[in-house]
Amino acid sequence: MPIQQIYKRDGSLVLFDRSKILRAIHKAFLEVGEGSVELSEKLCSQVIDILENNFPSNIPAVEEIQDIIERTLINVGHNNIAQAFIGYRQKRREIREKQEKGLIENIPYKNIWNGLVWNLDHSCETIDKLNAHIKNDTYPQLVKDAEDVYEQELDKIVASILKKRDIIRMVIVSGPSSSGKTTTTERLAKKLKTHNIELVKLTVDNYFKGLNCYMKDGFGDYDFEGPEALDLPLINEHLTKLIKGEIIQIPRYSFKTGYREKETDSLQIKDNQFILIDSHFGLYDKLTEGVPANLKFGLYLETLCQLRMPNGRFVRWTDIRMLRRMIRDLQYRAYDPKKTVGHWHYVRRGELKNLIPYIAKADYVVNTSLSYELPILKHKLFKYFPDIIQAYKDDPERQDAYIRAQRVYDLLSTIETWSDESVVPQQSLLREFIGGGIYH
């Protein structure tokens, strides 16, 4: 019986189009520089014969038709053409996956759009409107609303993980510096525990190489911002063993000495436990290449801020994260804010090389920007910027730091200050940086 209709991938019915099969076969031939229109026509007819004999009463699906094309090419001895067709299918699959995640060229447009719509709905899409919340005493409500939407996002992630709980063995939380990985991980772990799932962290910082493996730059600064700073072969060896249920000995790395200690720590994963990788470079191919892709669930975090400045431009995501890191470095590491600004070029270089290209590998992209945070960040840091600008202004080798500091100073100058931190919940992601939170 002639094929009249087929099922698309979304389950909808459409009319059968013979020409699409013909084009797919012909494209595979063109990919390897072989074949002809006549041969493509012949193979197309064979595929349709198989379809009509195997689906006399049922309606075939697109994937079933493509499977038959592959088998037909192999059966008639065109293995290289079949491989080209398989490659074509894989490329199309990757494109669809990116589209489903709202990713185009590693930019999560869907998340960006949702963030902008949320800001519009809550009247905080511009700095003027954000300032109005402070002037009109509606700022505390904005804080509450922003925290609520972040909580809802966590619930969606948990639901996504639960759908695959019988398959996955590893959860990866990835994202650039100060995107909120620690708090997101802690809150996610707490929610998963109510479903009898425990996240067991493999701290990749323990796999840093010794300081003798690194070089200092002209400013005496070490570059730890790339995955090459980690012992990747050992990480993969240990991950493979953990997946098999074996016991591993995790090294201990001392940031005080810059070398591993003699002592190690034992680790073994139980049936109700998932390995947790909480790292900037969690989605980097070589970090977990020893673990099959279907066993991993990856999150990517980014401060996808959608706040327009008075000049019409949007606030840079990286500037928000740098402000967060400046506070954290100052409070927890006694690190001069000037040094954080000066080191930021390493951070950005590592992100552009080793993070951004892998966003599409994430199963879920999370917006960790908080629409209310800049007034509080200003309260914490604004006083430091005049000295930072002055320190770098006339240094020809640090003009990147000067431009960065001046840009952020100009941004903060347009924002009203909020000094009462009590409006920020103790479980808030922002507490990871300003302190006073319940997570460590």
Side-chain angles (χ1 to χ4, degrees), residues 26-41:
H26 193 55
K27 281 183 179 179
F29 275 115
L30 292 175
E31 187 75 21
V32 295
E34 295 182 13
S36 63
V37 175
E38 292 77 13
L39 181 55
S40 297
E41 284 277 7

Side-chain angles (χ1 to χ4, degrees), residues 150-162 168 170-174 180-200 274-278 297-301 363-364 366 368 427 429 432 438-439:
Y150 176 71
E151 180 77 13
Q152 293 163 13
E153 192 75 350
L154 292 176
D155 288 336
K156 292 176 183 177
I157 297 168
V158 170
S160 297
I161 292 175
L162 292 177
I168 62 174
M170 178 188 299
V171 173
I172 298 171
V173 182
S174 176
K181 292 183 294 299
T182 300
T183 302
T184 299
T185 301
E186 292 278 2
R187 292 177 66 171
L188 191 61
K190 186 176 180 180
K191 287 178 177 292
L192 286 171
K193 200 165 186 177
T194 64
H195 298 278
N196 195 33
I197 295 175
E198 183 180 354
L199 298 182
V200 179
F274 293 160
I275 304 167
L276 169 67
I277 300 291
D278 172 8
F297 185 93
L299 298 175
Y300 186 86
L301 280 55
D363 295 281
Y364 204 105
V366 189
T368 56
Q427 76 272 18
L429 180 149
E432 182 177 329
I438 59 176
Y439 302 115

